[in-house]
Amino acid sequence: MAERNLLVTGASRGIGAAVAVRAAEAGWDVAVHCRHERDSAERVAAAVRALGRRAIVVQADVADESQIVAMFAAVDAGLGRLHGLVNNAGVVDVAARVEEMTAERLSRMWAINLSGSVLCAREAIRRMGRSHGGPGGAIVNLSSAAARVGSPGLYLDYSMSKAAIDHFTTGLAREVAADGLRVNAVRPGIIDTDIHATSGHAGRLAAATPLIPMARLGTADEVAHAVVWLLSDAAAYVTGALLDVSGGR
Ligand code: NAD
């Protein structure tokens, strides 16, 4: 492809930031999305530019449809035609059993982790799909190893949202294959990022580590390499795949 423009959601830190930088190394120009953390996103964009690629920063709450639509318009204007989307933005709430969960908590979880990914995919398909006059492209969704095993007593709502992402990935892959679009998901195990600190799970990591066959947490970079491969032409015949990056967990 002559031009390769990528939008990475939640790219101000963690896995999203690593994807933005590794994608730039692989030749992608990158729209670095953030919700609030503009300064951090600008630092990621600077790292992309230092690799000789173009970068812009876009902001949106992915729980808000109108903000998603405006974000994609900003990508059109600032970067040009899109060729790739990484649905990375996501949240995990504080540990709770189902009998403690509220409708407000559940609505927020579905809105960010599920509807946000579906609506971003919708906007990307409208730009990348050949039936829309687009060049084709690739979507990678961030699922979780928790989608397979559930997370009883911790955050069953989160693992349910990621199981739905798996289902969305395999279904959408078949829906848009004839449109020149590939759709895959990466399922990280326990990755050393701030998501654990902000959700109060940091203390659990030490206890969880011995249960990982490779006996260590993963890094954001290790997930990013898998995402960038799935985006690339090297994965041209891969669609509907759910790729575990979990140290064997
Ligand atoms: P992180 O908390 O560092 O990053 C998540 C990003 O999503 C942040 O930049 C945050 O600002 C953004 N975000 C959250 N809510 C948003 C909203 N409403 N609108 C826009 N952006 C929003 O976490 P991470 O570990 O880098 O996780 C990235 C993805 O990987 C998430 O989807 C997460 O569920 C998934 N994942 C992480 C792990 C892990 O152990 N770290 C494991 C499996 C899956």
Side-chain angles (χ1 to χ4, degrees), residues 81-82 124-137 179-181:
R81 173 72 80 174
L82 208 59
I125 292 164
R126 288 176 177 173
R127 286 160 174 80
M128 304 190 311
R130 291 195 182 128
S131 64
H132 297 276
D179 223 2
L181 300 171

Side-chain angles (χ1 to χ4, degrees), residues 162-180:
K162 294 300 187 180
I165 287 294
D166 286 357
H167 192 86
F168 175 55
T169 299
T170 52
L172 183 65
R174 287 186 287 160
E175 183 168 305
V176 299
D179 223 2

